[in-house]
Amino acid sequence: MISIKNISKWYGSFQVLTDCSTEVKKGEVVVVCGPSGSGKSTIIKCVNALEPFQKGAITVDGISVGGPKTDLPKLRSRIGMVFQNFELFPHLSVTENLTLAQIKVLGRTEEAARDKGFKLLDRVGLMAHKDKFPGQLSGGQQQRVAIARALSMDPIAMLFDEPTSALDPEMINEVLDVMVKLAQEGMTMMVVTHEMGFAKKVAHRVIFMDAGKIIEDCTKDDFFGTPRSERAQLFLSKILHH
Amino acid sequence: MFSGYDFDVIQRSAGYLFRDGMTFTLTLTALAMVGGIFFGTLLAMMRLSKFRLLSLAAGGYVNLMRSLPLVLVIFWFFFLVPYIGAWIIGAKDPVKVGSFLSCLITFTMFEAAYYCEIMRAGIQSIARGQVWAGYALGLNYWHTMGRIVLPQAFRNMLPVLLTQTIILFQDTSLVYVISATDFLGAASKVANRDYRLVEMYTFVAVVYFIMSYGLSTLVKSLQSRIAIIR
């Protein structure tokens, strides 16, 4: 579904990604972890071309992301993305947040878009807040709306960029619950997160990155059992013992 | 101490001052504001464009306008617009352009440079993640700008935009250099005709003060209300 081949990326002369390759199959849940600055957020943003890359190739569902003739808006509309800071549109109500892209991009009628939006809002348990503005919701609620917004486009895959990092501890679970359910329903997911509990529960594979390189790319059991690299062992020992 | 002055002249000429003069001033201010914000926003989008040619052109225009005295631009356009108009439609003789239209074009183009800088700051104040979120949903540049970035930028910048409009309102008085009959121009004509310079110019000052101060008070209360919403 998502294929990343030998990606390299520079900010000026500073190399942020070095020769990264991996593959995410249909229905697979892949967790990307690593210390901050390791390039994990950057690589996930390359998948839907929010960040350009200079070398290598990424294809999503057979379509080249960096290709000169690629209809980027169309491709992006098929890949859902959830951000660390939610990025709901603060000047629009929850309902408008859910329907805007459905109407403008997919050409759905307002009624159809609203039906779809409400169905998803109900699924994340926030139907009661449909007329509120993002600023009136808690962080956890905002992130659930953001997930519903991404799902409203009927994506073929979902990207999560540290979806729980900006949340208060007591709100992390309500968001993770939604994500776990999504994973169990068979959604193809690429998740940048430090939530190892989530990884243990639903991930098929874990990718560990450091300094712009993919150090480990293995099954969940291998990763939590015996990571091959010293760097990953050190990382795991640090985040699992606190 | 006012025995030598004749303040009745104000009452006698009030109809002319407000019906002709103030209408000119307010219409010019309102239309130049709308046009200025429209073109200013376009210029701001150009300045922030990743296409170098667009950003250079917009940057050059803004810097040029902001480096010239307004009076000069008013003069310049007044004498030049007829020729530009003739050149555009291919006419032989200069096009007849009324003083109001000439002023409107001048102020729209001049103020666009200032509104541009305000809108540029406004657009840049919107977190990059908002643009990302729009793009990630498949929205194109125009939808992302029009539905996500600009509404927020506009709301954030509303107090500054209105403050600039108050300055514009005061600056419209400079049209007296081409003998247009704005509020000041009308008062000046009455003052010279009746030789009541002190009375008329004092009255004009009071009216400008009341209107500008009233508007800026309004902007202040608006500012605090926006701060609460945020």
Side-chain angles (χ1 to χ4, degrees), chain A residues 26-70:
Chain A
K26 191 170 187 307
E28 203 173 23
V29 177
V30 175
V31 162
V32 184
C33 63
S36 57
S38 60
K40 51 195 193 307
S41 283
T42 308
I43 202 168
I44 207 171
K45 286 198 183 86
C46 284
V47 171
N48 65 352
L50 291 181
E51 291 276 9
F53 49 89
Q54 282 80 33
K55 256 171 112 179
I58 298 179
T59 55
V60 177
D61 200 24
I63 298 161
S64 163
V65 172
K69 280 186 187 149
T70 305

Side-chain angles (χ1 to χ4, degrees), chain A residues 29-113:
Chain A
V29 177
V30 175
V31 162
V32 184
C33 63
S36 57
S38 60
K40 51 195 193 307
S41 283
T42 308
I43 202 168
I44 207 171
K45 286 198 183 86
C46 284
V47 171
N48 65 352
L50 291 181
E51 291 276 9
F53 49 89
Q54 282 80 33
K55 256 171 112 179
I58 298 179
T59 55
V60 177
D61 200 24
I63 298 161
S64 163
V65 172
K69 280 186 187 149
T70 305
D71 184 352
L72 266 186
K74 193 177 169 197
L75 181 65
R76 282 168 175 155
S77 73
R78 302 177 65 203
I79 312 168
M81 180 145 194
V82 175
F83 297 87
Q84 184 174 355
N85 296 313
F86 331 132
E87 303 300 350
L88 291 179
F89 307 131
H91 59 301
L92 301 177
S93 71
V94 167
T95 304
E96 289 167 323
N97 262 283
L98 288 164
T99 56
L100 176 67
Q102 289 189 66
I103 296 167
K104 296 282 171 198
V105 180
L106 302 180
R108 288 181 183 155
T109 63
E110 204 179 320
E111 209 187 345

